[in-house]
Amino acid sequence: LHSLPTRLSSDLCLTLVWFSTSFALFALAMDLQKFGFNIYLVQVIFGVMDIPAKLLAAIGVYYIGRRFAQASCLILAGLLILISIAVPKDMNILQMILAILGKGTLASSILCAYLYSTELFPTVIRQTGMGFSQMMMRLGAIMAPLMMMTREHIWFLPLIIFGVMPLIAGVLVLLLPETRNTLLPDTIEQAEQRMLKKKNTELSEARSTDNAGNEMLDLSREQSIPTKKVLTDIL
């Protein structure tokens, strides 16, 4: 499964996406009582929020792209969790709103991850890769309640970890190739070539930008020479 270095980096990114999404999602879902409202009502609101969130995610992956939609959901969820740390404890409504939005974006992340992971894994290992991803998702759900126990010592430590993990995963997703409107890879070599093609495209774009900057600099220098000559003649 991880025979090629580029394939390994892609698999590690997907592993972190599934783990961090489930890790933070279950942490928010298991801490409903802290808001001070009826936990059944809060649970209903949490569930209803998934409907518009997943609809927006479905529109995003179709029109914007899988990579950007996946990264946006993870980064936004991480930011919402981290922002909730700064909210005073007596502002229960604001804390609940941030938690609901965070849970909705994490639920959207799972929707994006199912589609994106399926398109990233080549056909020969797609089922194995998805099975391993699901295992990491379950591991995140197992680790979430254990991490919640650390708030007995430092109350904001779990929130920092739950917020930082999706942020890191979202940034790493930007390193993966876009799969929208592309053919699914059948072999590991084809998946490797797609990753290398993305890197080569980024390098060529960076070189083009550097060349354009150098050309503009040379042009500005050429234009400045007559000006200096005129000033010299005047003096």
Side-chain angles (χ1 to χ4, degrees):
L1 180 61
H2 304 304
S3 58
L4 300 174
T6 306
R7 183 70 250 166
L8 174 60
S9 63
S10 175
D11 292 345
L12 289 177
C13 289
L14 291 176
T15 296
L16 186 59
V17 166
W18 284 96
F19 177 86
S20 59
T21 300
S22 177
F23 186 58
L25 175 65
F26 279 88
L28 293 177
M30 291 186 300
D31 201 23
L32 304 180
Q33 68 278 0
K34 73 173 184 179
F35 303 119
F37 300 103
N38 188 301
I39 60 173
Y40 301 106
L41 177 60
V42 176
Q43 183 64 54
V44 170
I45 297 175
F46 267 52
V48 171
M49 181 62 192
D50 285 3
I51 300 175
K54 290 184 176 181
L55 285 176
L56 290 175
I59 295 173
V61 296
Y62 184 78
Y63 290 102
I64 301 176
R66 281 71 158 138
R67 182 181 60 174
F68 184 77
Q70 180 73 78
S72 300
C73 291
L74 289 168
I75 293 174
L76 181 58
L79 291 176
L80 289 170
I81 294 174
L82 292 177
I83 291 173
S84 65
I85 300 175
V87 177
K89 293 183 179 180
D90 57 342
M91 300 180 67
N92 294 334
I93 296 179
L94 182 56
Q95 285 187 344
M96 186 176 70
I97 291 175
L98 291 174
I100 291 172
L101 293 175
K103 196 260 184 183
T105 52
L106 289 169
S108 301
S109 176
I110 292 179
L111 184 145
C112 298
Y114 270 109
L115 178 61
Y116 195 33
S117 300
T118 303
E119 294 179 345
L120 281 176
F121 286 119
T123 302
V124 293
I125 59 170
R126 185 165 294 128
Q127 294 301 321
T128 304
M130 290 301 297
F132 183 76
S133 299
Q134 291 295 305
M135 184 187 72
M136 296 307 299
M137 180 181 178
R138 301 296 182 258
L139 180 61
I142 293 172
M143 294 298 296
L146 299 177
M147 186 57 61
M148 293 291 291
M149 297 171 62
T150 60
R151 65 181 175 183
E152 296 179 0
H153 305 283
I154 305 177
W155 69 269
F156 57 84
L157 180 59
L159 292 176
I160 291 179
I161 297 175
F162 294 139
V164 170
M165 290 292 290
L167 277 177
I168 296 175
V171 173
L172 292 178
V173 166
L174 297 175
L175 303 177
L176 299 176
E178 175 59 57
T179 59
R180 177 173 173 263
N181 296 331
T182 60
L183 296 176
L184 296 180
D186 291 326
T187 63
I188 296 178
E189 289 73 17
Q190 291 178 356
E192 176 85 2
Q193 291 174 1
R194 184 166 61 179
M195 290 288 294
L196 294 175
K197 182 180 178 181
K198 176 181 180 296
K199 292 181 180 180
N200 294 332
T201 302
E202 292 176 349
L203 288 175
S204 62
E205 290 177 353
R207 290 173 181 172
S208 300
T209 303
D210 293 339
N211 293 334
N214 293 332
E215 291 177 359
M216 292 296 294
L217 182 59
D218 294 338
L219 182 60
S220 62
R221 288 175 178 174
E222 292 176 359
Q223 292 177 349
S224 65
I225 292 175
T227 304
K228 290 181 179 178
K229 184 176 181 181
V230 172
L231 291 176
T232 303
D233 295 339
I234 294 175
L235 294 175

